[in-house]
Amino acid sequence: MTPSSPDRATVRRIAVPVEGPVPTGSTNAYLVDEALLVDPPARSDDLDAAVADASIEHLAVTHAHPDHVGAVAHYAAETDATVWCRRGREDRFVEATGIEPDRTFVEGTDLPTGASVLDVPGHAPDHVAFETDRGVLCGDVATAEGSVAVAAPEGDLRAYLVALRRLIARDPPRLFPGHGPVIEEPRTACERLYRHRLDRERRVFDAVRAGAGDVDAVLDAAYDANLTGVRDLARRTVVAHLEKLATERRVDFDRDAETVATR
């Protein structure tokens, strides 16, 4: 990675309120070296002011979920920035943002702002992170508190666990997440999230071994919390776990009938 200057990169976080059931009720937009805008989720006075004070030349997103791309078109037009997206995911980007990207990146691409692209799918199939010498802008791979949604049909738990292992191995000085505060102890946070996913997998597998024969039965057995308001998300999470177990040939899972059995 070649920084844009001899100095360390600057990373500025702007929490932007967004509608919908997102962690903390806001999504973090970031300015890297005052030249790269990442994940503008919506317009806000604070983000408008930050963009006006900067010299935005490039715009990119970690992934094309609605709570990360809502203001891409606005700020692209406002700044005349070069808009980037993951190569091979252009159609997804256009559908989410309403605009065509100017350029595409792949794993290892060095953006002209001291940030290098790292593939970290799992939460979403197009998910990337942006690595700087200050830390990694990791989107929805990690969060300081709670857990990250990895839910069917988009969530891929095998890929997500690999993404966490990649961040653990790189051991950056900090993580700049999509929601919530900066993570000052990345290894601890990623290891916690990794253990959480393995614990949920154990609960799902134990439920199937105990006789739960369909998704709803597994859901009821694997979760001991009140799921009011989040049952659909928890159910899609169970499906993602069952898909992983089926890929590993540990269970037989009929995705259409939503039935499951041990092998």
Side-chain angles (χ1 to χ4, degrees):
M1 178 175 63
T2 303
S4 58
S5 74
D7 300 323
R8 291 167 62 85
T10 62
V11 180
R12 183 153 48 130
R13 178 175 70 95
I14 303 97
V16 180
V18 295
E19 296 181 359
V22 302
T24 74
S26 64
T27 297
N28 295 325
Y30 289 96
L31 294 178
V32 179
D33 282 347
E34 301 295 297
L36 168 65
L37 174 61
V38 176
D39 285 357
R43 290 193 62 189
S44 74
D45 290 344
D46 287 345
L47 187 54
D48 279 351
V51 170
D53 288 342
S55 299
I56 304 300
E57 299 175 0
H58 302 274
L59 191 158
V61 300
T62 56
H63 61 297
H65 279 171
D67 61 314
H68 289 255
V69 304
V72 165
H74 169 78
Y75 289 114
E78 183 79 9
T79 64
D80 197 30
T82 298
V83 177
W84 296 74
C85 86
R86 180 63 173 87
R87 187 176 303 164
R89 302 291 183 177
E90 292 92 337
D91 289 348
R92 177 182 174 88
F93 181 87
V94 171
E95 182 178 358
T97 65
I99 63 172
E100 295 275 352
D102 300 306
R103 298 185 64 181
T104 60
F105 48 62
V106 296
E107 164 94 14
T109 298
D110 290 327
L111 301 183
T113 55
S116 182
V117 177
L118 179 67
D119 279 335
V120 285
H123 173 75
D126 59 334
H127 207 305
V128 301
F130 300 103
E131 190 171 27
T132 78
D133 56 12
R134 289 290 306 281
V136 175
L137 282 67
C138 68
D140 286 353
V141 179
T143 183
E145 298 180 354
S147 60
V148 170
V150 185
E154 288 208 333
D156 182 328
L157 277 160
R158 287 165 62 88
Y160 178 65
L161 292 176
V162 170
L164 288 175
R165 290 199 297 268
R166 295 195 77 188
L167 290 179
I168 291 169
R170 297 179 95 83
D171 196 19
R174 59 190 58 80
L175 294 175
F176 299 97
H179 305 279
V182 174
I183 299 170
E184 298 291 350
E185 298 183 0
R187 180 181 292 273
T188 299
C190 290
E191 289 176 345
R192 173 184 63 81
L193 290 163
Y194 197 90
R195 290 194 302 269
H196 170 75
R197 281 293 150 216
L198 293 184
D199 179 65
R200 182 65 65 199
E201 178 179 290
R202 178 185 58 77
R203 289 169 176 259
V204 168
F205 187 57
D206 286 350
V208 178
R209 288 199 303 177
D214 60 34
V215 170
D216 288 308
V218 173
L219 173 63
D220 292 337
Y223 282 80
D224 52 15
N226 184 345
L227 297 179
T228 301
V230 295
R231 184 176 177 87
D232 178 65
L233 177 60
R235 192 178 192 278
R236 291 189 289 116
T237 301
V238 165
V239 171
H241 276 286
L242 292 174
E243 289 176 341
K244 177 180 181 293
L245 291 169
T247 298
E248 296 169 349
R249 303 181 66 81
R250 297 171 63 190
V251 303
D252 289 319
F253 179 45
D254 186 322
R255 290 166 177 77
D256 294 327
E258 294 193 335
T259 56
V260 61
T262 54
R263 295 184 64 87

